Amino acid sequence: MRGEFPVRAWRASVAALTGVLALVALLAALALGGVSDPRPAGPLQVDASPDDAAGWALWPSSAESDTGGGEYLVTVPPQGGRALVTAPYTLRPPCTLEMSARHVAGPSEAGFGLWWGEVPAGPYWVVAVNGDGYFAVFRVEGDEIQFIEEWQLFPHLSREGATERLWVTVQEGRALVRLNDEVAASFGMPATAPLHTGLYVEASRRGDATVAFERLRIWQAEPVE
């Protein structure tokens, strides 16, 4: 009859609505179950401000560092390539690392972040962000860089000048990367121990890059050496 809603269309509408409600219920259950929550791999062992430079090692010599005001400032010249700061801690996975840092001065495309593994020869892994809202994940061994995630926009980064939180959990031969609490990458890596960690700055060709590192936290089952 003209004007009546077709039975087939009505059934399709009911099925679609049922599917939406089921999806909402599933997402709610996952959230309540903690899937979306960043849970560290063990108790908090280190909560440090890097402004006390005792025990922190900066490499190479072309990079410069300064401390004060609760921050550790690292400046890398255009020809400096990568700068690495090694924290005075030895880690044994499973463990979770969290670094808070922000871009202070210089070209916004300069990268900064967190590394873990062995330096300077490697292998070590890096999660890096920049002031333009991009992130990357890669493995370094010697002069070879292998990208796990190429540089790409990430919607949950705060952009230039804001503090970014980089979070990495290493356990059972995998690494899970979160940026500002949102999952950005997950990949397999050798279940090696012990590990070291620290700060990472990648120079831009357009000028000096300065990054302020504000806080390093480490969670793991065993006490940090």
Side-chain angles (χ1 to χ4, degrees), residues 168-176 185-191:
V168 177
T169 293
V170 180
Q171 61 182 352
E172 298 177 352
R174 294 197 64 82
L176 174 66
S186 178
F187 58 93
M189 58 170 290

Side-chain angles (χ1 to χ4, degrees), residues 4-225:
E4 292 185 353
F5 192 74
V7 174
R8 186 175 301 173
W10 178 81
R11 289 176 177 172
S13 298
V14 171
L17 178 60
T18 302
V20 170
L21 293 175
L23 177 59
V24 170
L26 175 60
L27 293 175
L30 290 174
L32 291 173
V35 171
S36 60
D37 298 333
R39 295 184 176 180
L44 182 65
Q45 302 286 358
V46 173
D47 189 349
S49 171
D51 66 332
D52 180 5
W56 295 75
L58 174 63
W59 177 90
S61 58
S62 59
E64 299 178 355
S65 65
D66 193 12
T67 59
E71 297 179 332
Y72 186 103
L73 296 172
V74 177
T75 299
V76 182
Q79 69 277 13
R82 302 187 300 271
L84 300 167
V85 183
T86 303
Y89 311 111
T90 301
L91 316 176
R92 297 186 182 279
C95 60
T96 296
L97 319 171
E98 182 192 76
M99 173 62 65
S100 298
R102 60 188 175 87
H103 177 262
V104 173
S108 58
E109 70 269 17
F112 62 94
L114 176 70
W115 68 265
W116 66 99
E118 294 295 332
V119 297
Y124 62 92
W125 290 261
V126 177
V127 52
V129 300
N130 69 19
D132 292 329
Y134 284 73
F135 91 101
V137 182
F138 48 93
R139 179 183 183 273
V140 181
E141 186 164 13
D143 295 327
E144 181 181 352
I145 298 177
Q146 178 185 2
F147 276 91
I148 298 166
E149 296 286 347
E150 298 277 355
W151 283 102
Q152 59 190 275
L153 279 170
F154 191 69
H156 301 287
L157 292 174
S158 304
R159 300 298 178 99
E160 186 173 358
T163 297
E164 311 286 6
R165 293 174 58 243
L166 297 86
W167 168 296
V168 177
T169 293
V170 180
Q171 61 182 352
E172 298 177 352
R174 294 197 64 82
L176 174 66
V177 176
R178 292 180 182 266
L179 302 176
N180 294 332
D181 293 336
E182 300 295 334
V183 174
S186 178
F187 58 93
M189 58 170 290
T192 57
L195 299 173
H196 294 91
T197 189
L199 325 175
Y200 173 87
V201 181
E202 179 179 311
S204 166
R205 296 180 180 179
R206 296 195 299 119
D208 290 359
T210 301
V211 175
F213 294 95
E214 302 170 353
R215 189 182 192 186
L216 173 66
R217 295 198 292 176
I218 300 172
W219 293 261
Q220 66 178 37
E222 300 181 26
V224 173
E225 299 175 8

